[in-house]
Structures are given as C-alpha cells and as structure tokens.
Amino acid sequence: MDLNILSEEELVRLDDLIRSSEQIVITGHSRPDGDALGACLGWAEYLRVHYGKEPKVIMPNGFPDFLHWLPLNERVMRYDKHPDEVKQLFDKAQVVFCIDYNSLSRVDAMEDVLTQCGAPRVMFDHHLDPNLPAEISVSHSDMSSSSEVVFRVAWQLGGFEDLDKKFAVPIYCGMMTDTGGFTYNSSRPELYFIICQLLTKRIDKDKIYRNVFNNYSQWAIRLRGYLMSQKLNVFEDLHASFYTLTRQNMLDYHFVRGDAEGLVNEPLRIKGMKVSIALREDDRVDNKIWVSLRSVDNFSVEEMSKRFFNGGGHLNASGGQLSCSVEEAERIAREAILFYAEELKR
C-alpha cells in the first residue's frame, strides 16, 4: 500500500534540512490534545532514532492529565512556564516543526517568539485552509490526524524497522483521539494498514484506549452526568443539541483539564441526532468561551464553526471560540442551529 505523501523534491529537501540542523524545535498548538502531543512526541522520537538528533518539544501551555502517561512527555517544555528558556531555544533553532496547526495564531501567546524566529519552518498538519508560512508544508485535510501525517513522513523517509513503542504509542494515541476512537474521519483503508504496522511494535492498543478514555476521577464522572442531565438543550425536531460548562460548574466538580474531553460526542448517541455543540467557559479569562462541535454524515460543523464561532476544523469535528458571556454564547448556539434548520430537518 502506497503511504507516500512527499514528492521526491520535498523528500530530499526535508532530509537535507534535518541532517544539516542540530538545534531542532518541535511545536504543537495551544491547549494541545492527543493528536498534537502524540504527533510531536512521535516525530521527536523518530528524529532521535533515525537521525541521532535531540529535538526540543515545546507547547504553548499545558495538556490534559489523561495524556501525562505518554512516553517522554516529561521532556515537553511549556512556554507559559518557561518563556525565557523557550525564547532562547527559538533564537538558536535551525529548523522549527509546526505540527497539528495551520496558522501562527493557534499558538496563542507563543506567536510572537515563533514569528520572530528566523529558522525555516516545516508544517505537518491535516486542517483545512492552511496559511502558515513554511519552507515545507505537508498538509492533508483528508487524513485522520497529524499523527497519521507524521507516520507517513517517517515511513517515507525510512527507518521504521528501527523504531519501537516510544514512537508507536504516541502516534497511535494521536490517531485514536482525533477520530474519537476511530468513530469518525477514519474510513480510509490506509489508516488501518498504519495501525497494523504500529501493532508490530508490540503496543497495547486496548491499554492506550483505557489510559485516554477510562482514566477519570469520580468527580469528572459526576460532572459528566450533571451536564448531560441538567445542562443539555435538545432540539428534537432539528436533530441538534448544545450544553454549557461554566466556571462555577468546574469549581463545584473539582474540574481539571481533560475532564470534559470527548463529552461533546455523547449527545450524538441520541437517535437521529446530527449536531452537538459544547460551550465551555474559560476558567481564568472572563468572557471567553471555548466551542467544540461534532456532527455525523455530511452535515458540516466546519462551516458552522466558521460562520458563528470564529473557528474551523473538519467536516464532522471542529472548534472555535467566542468573546462573550455564557448567556450570549447560548444565544449564538441557538442562532446557529436555527440558521441550518432546513438542512438539519432532512
């Protein structure tokens, strides 16, 4: 099966760039998820094993507790915790890998130091409409995840036989989390060939699933029950829903980052449901609402996110943000659902 995604010219340029660089920085987007972290850790491990490099993995801020078990995650440096050290690494960098984001704005407060860095950039991504300036752009919106992109690049560059679990586990985790456990955006046969190859590294895919999806505190489970019972707004005739998670809810249920991960998918289990919208109040910044959207079949939450929530993403999985109160965010969610009423009724 052909997994190659680089042209011969791109392959040579990338290989030369890596071989000629000793100071390598790998970056993911703000509030990194399983795909961003998995892809970055997997790529860092590949560069260590295949090229003998010692890349630095930098994230703008923290990642969820349920990802702290990933191999070598302790080496990740956070910009919000060590801004001066991160700036020094960017100043010395000879190449910067931008993984799982397609715009400089996706790194939030780290944008200035990334923009000012004079090193060439390489982008590995799978989001629509990339606008990140890069020496080499490997962007494929038809792929399941950026972890899949990283696997394909590593496969094409060679040396897969020398890799072990420290590469395979984060890459599998990234593909799994960005497809909701392979329940959406995961119907292409190449994806399962890749999984077969990762399994040759003796990964325990069932344990990876448990570590991500069955690793909550009792308070997280109680919070999920409360949100679905008391906060879920269902538009039965329009096959859509939304719920809100407020700062007070977080305090009441001892919220930690990751406690609501994947919950936006839960309303899609309702018979006939086509769209689910999650509105989460930022726990520190006033009047900032994080939006997650999921859909089934051909309804585009990517379009909805762009139109109403200042965001984007993929056909069935997108995100965005609003600068307003929770009440105003609820009004916008209702407006978005009603705007697509005719399409949702079908």
Side-chain angles (χ1 to χ4, degrees), residues 53-69:
K53 306 295 182 178
E54 289 296 331
K56 303 296 183 183
V57 179
I58 298 172
M59 296 294 172
N61 39 41
F63 47 89
D65 284 359
F66 63 77
L67 295 175
H68 282 228
W69 60 272

Side-chain angles (χ1 to χ4, degrees), residues 65 216-223 245-260 283:
D65 284 359
Y216 296 108
S217 69
Q218 64 158 311
W219 284 107
I221 298 300
R222 293 179 188 277
L223 172 63
L245 172 56
T246 67
R247 194 177 296 175
Q248 187 60 52
N249 297 151
M250 297 179 207
L251 290 172
D252 291 343
Y253 288 88
H254 310 286
F255 183 88
V256 297
R257 182 170 292 179
D259 277 357
D283 60 345

Side-chain angles (χ1 to χ4, degrees), residues 101-300:
Y101 62 97
N102 61 0
S103 171
L104 293 172
S105 63
R106 291 291 311 281
V107 299
D108 288 352
M110 199 171 77
E111 182 176 356
D112 285 345
V113 292
L114 178 56
T115 302
Q116 293 165 12
C117 176
R121 301 188 197 107
V122 177
M123 180 179 70
F124 296 158
D125 188 51
H126 72 128
H127 295 93
L128 294 168
D129 305 321
N131 61 14
L132 190 153
E135 182 81 12
I136 302 172
S137 294
V138 188
S139 178
H140 293 268
S141 60
D142 59 328
M143 293 186 183
S144 68
S145 55
S146 292
S147 292
E148 180 183 346
V149 172
V150 166
F151 178 94
R152 285 169 174 258
V153 172
W155 180 270
Q156 191 170 356
L157 283 168
F160 178 75
E161 63 277 3
D162 297 324
L163 299 169
D164 61 17
K165 289 182 180 181
K166 290 193 291 293
F167 172 82
V169 167
I171 293 298
Y172 180 86
C173 180
M175 295 193 306
M176 180 190 72
T177 54
D178 234 33
T179 58
F182 305 105
T183 60
Y184 53 84
N185 196 26
S186 55
S187 294
R188 301 170 75 247
E190 294 90 345
L191 179 62
Y192 297 91
F193 178 81
I194 292 171
I195 293 171
C196 288
Q197 297 305 312
L198 294 174
L199 288 171
T200 67
K201 303 303 180 181
R202 300 290 187 251
I203 66 171
D204 187 338
K205 72 175 187 62
D206 301 334
K207 186 175 182 180
I208 294 172
Y209 182 93
R210 292 196 304 272
N211 283 347
V212 172
F213 294 114
N214 298 342
N215 198 18
Y216 296 108
S217 69
Q218 64 158 311
W219 284 107
I221 298 300
R222 293 179 188 277
L223 172 63
R224 287 166 169 255
Y226 168 74
L227 293 176
M228 292 297 97
S229 172
Q230 303 299 317
K231 305 295 290 290
L232 183 64
N233 297 268
V234 178
F235 300 75
E236 283 195 81
D237 57 330
L238 300 181
H239 311 291
S241 69
F242 76 84
Y243 67 86
T244 60
L245 172 56
T246 67
R247 194 177 296 175
Q248 187 60 52
N249 297 151
M250 297 179 207
L251 290 172
D252 291 343
Y253 288 88
H254 310 286
F255 183 88
V256 297
R257 182 170 292 179
D259 277 357
E261 185 74 20
L263 185 59
V264 66
N265 296 303
E266 195 68 15
L268 294 177
R269 298 176 68 180
I270 299 172
K271 185 177 180 179
M273 191 64 58
K274 294 181 178 179
V275 174
S276 172
I277 303 172
L279 306 170
R280 182 172 63 80
E281 187 177 18
D282 194 278
D283 60 345
R284 297 180 184 179
V285 182
D286 292 338
N287 292 318
K288 186 169 189 176
I289 308 295
W290 297 96
V291 186
S292 294
L293 306 97
R294 297 292 185 271
S295 67
V296 298
D297 297 331
N298 294 321
F299 184 85
S300 176

